[in-house]
Every structure is written in structure tokens, then in C-alpha cells.
Amino acid sequence: MTETKAAEPTPLLKLGIDFAPLLIFFVANWAKGIFVATGAFMVATAAAMLVSRMKLGRISPMLWFSGALVLVFGGLTLWLQSETFIKLKPTIVYAMFAAVLFFGLFTGRPTLKLVLETAYPGIDEIGWRKLTRNWGWFFIAMAVLNELVWRNVATDTWVAFKVWGVMPLTILFALSQAPMMMRHGFKLDKEEAPPVPPQG
């Protein structure tokens, strides 16, 4: 029996799965405040996971992890009526991503290669190690940045940073990796972009 290959996401579908829950979070916070926004974020994240399953035939491990933390920390935020939990969630996501990447690097199994090799073929072993290392340090920097922002600014400012600051920073960092990737064998097609992991 032939195994059915999972569909590859179009750029628009991937953007919707990754960014739509954050946009809903921003709008709901602006209209109704952080607690309503947290509930809307939880629903939108679950919907994004469902769309990924229906349209692509799978939910990526990183989306499972991020989605689970949204539901857990969102639930704690609503149950205890404390916005601290939803603000801590990105820090924990970034720290866990970094830990997984560096663990894979130190054990000789670059994690990004395991996840993205079929989508981005041609990169040699040195390139995968460099890419894994660079994303690991990026996630550590984002964890520290999230802590600095949420502890020092108003909630509305943190929400705006989470939606309109994190995504551009991530895209810019991904683009900055393209020259290194191409030096190590990656051929960047016109319709492709360097890999961008899910947002925290």
C-alpha cells in the first residue's frame, strides 16, 4: 500500500497558520483587553492546528508544542486572572526551542535537518550545524528580549511587540541566513524563502 505524502504548505497558507492567531490576539486585546484576547488566541491557535491537519495532513511538532503551551498558559491566565502566564509563554517556547536545537547539535544530530531537510535539500552537514546553532542563539536572544519587554512596558505595548515586532525580527533573521545556506549547497528558488519556525 502506497503511503500518501503530506502536502507542502503554500506561502499564504503557512502565513495564515502562523500569523492569524497572533493577529486575532492583537485585535481582541485592542477591543476587549488581555483576558478576552487570551481566550481568542487559544481558540484561534486550536483552529490553526485543525486547518494544518485538514489542509496539510499533519501538524508539525513545533506547532504541536507551541499550541499546547498556548492552551496551558492561556488556561492558567484565564483561571487565575493573571496576565503573567500568557506573557511568560513566549519565553518558555523560545527557551525550549533553543534547548532542543543545542541538544541536537551537541549530540551530533542537528534538529533543523531532521525537520526541514526534505523542504530545503542540498545543504551540507556543516551548513545544517551552522543553521541549527544560529537559530538556537536567535531563540535565546528572543527569550531574553521577551522578558525585558513584558517586565518593563504596558500590556498593550507588549501585545503590539509580540505581533508586530517578533515576526519582522524572525523574518529578517531567516533572510540573513540565506547567504550562509547557499554557500553550503542550498538553492533558493524564487518562490521559496528561508525556513521560519513558528512564533512564540
Side-chain angles (χ1 to χ4, degrees):
M1 186 174 182
T2 304
E3 184 178 348
T4 302
K5 185 180 179 181
E8 289 299 324
T10 64
L12 186 60
L13 178 59
K14 189 176 188 311
L15 183 66
I17 291 171
D18 291 343
F19 192 62
L22 290 173
L23 185 60
I24 290 169
F25 182 58
F26 175 79
V27 173
N29 179 74
W30 173 77
K32 295 292 184 179
I34 189 65
F35 295 114
V36 172
T38 297
F41 190 32
M42 293 167 67
V43 172
T45 299
M49 295 171 73
L50 181 61
V51 168
S52 181
R53 181 68 180 86
M54 292 175 62
K55 294 291 187 180
L56 305 178
R58 71 186 187 279
I59 300 172
S60 71
M62 287 188 288
L63 183 56
W64 268 119
F65 176 71
S66 181
L69 286 185
V70 168
L71 298 178
V72 169
F73 281 83
L76 288 171
T77 295
L78 298 179
W79 181 34
L80 299 175
Q81 290 293 288
S82 172
E83 60 193 48
T84 299
F85 292 101
I86 199 65
K87 292 177 177 179
L88 273 174
K89 194 273 298 181
T91 301
I92 293 172
V93 169
Y94 295 136
M96 289 297 295
F97 281 174
V100 168
L101 292 178
F102 280 120
F103 178 78
L105 197 61
F106 293 148
T107 56
R109 294 175 295 178
T111 310
L112 283 183
K113 180 181 179 181
L114 300 177
V115 176
L116 297 172
E117 185 174 21
T118 56
Y120 299 93
I123 302 177
D124 61 28
E125 291 299 320
I126 295 175
W128 281 115
R129 288 198 295 272
K130 288 181 178 179
L131 192 63
T132 299
R133 176 202 64 196
N134 293 351
W135 275 107
W137 283 115
F138 173 78
F139 284 130
I140 288 175
M142 292 303 292
V144 172
L145 183 59
N146 184 67
E147 285 295 296
L148 291 174
V149 172
W150 83 260
R151 292 177 185 276
N152 291 284
V153 303
T155 295
D156 288 349
T157 304
W158 172 78
V159 171
F161 163 76
K162 178 176 172 60
V163 177
W164 306 114
V166 170
M167 179 66 80
L169 285 173
T170 306
I171 291 173
L172 286 173
F173 181 79
L175 291 173
S176 76
Q177 299 306 294
M180 181 276 292
M181 292 165 61
M182 289 187 284
R183 286 197 300 272
H184 289 278
F186 178 58
K187 299 296 188 293
L188 187 63
D189 293 336
K190 291 181 180 180
E191 296 182 356
E192 288 183 330
V196 178
Q199 304 307 291

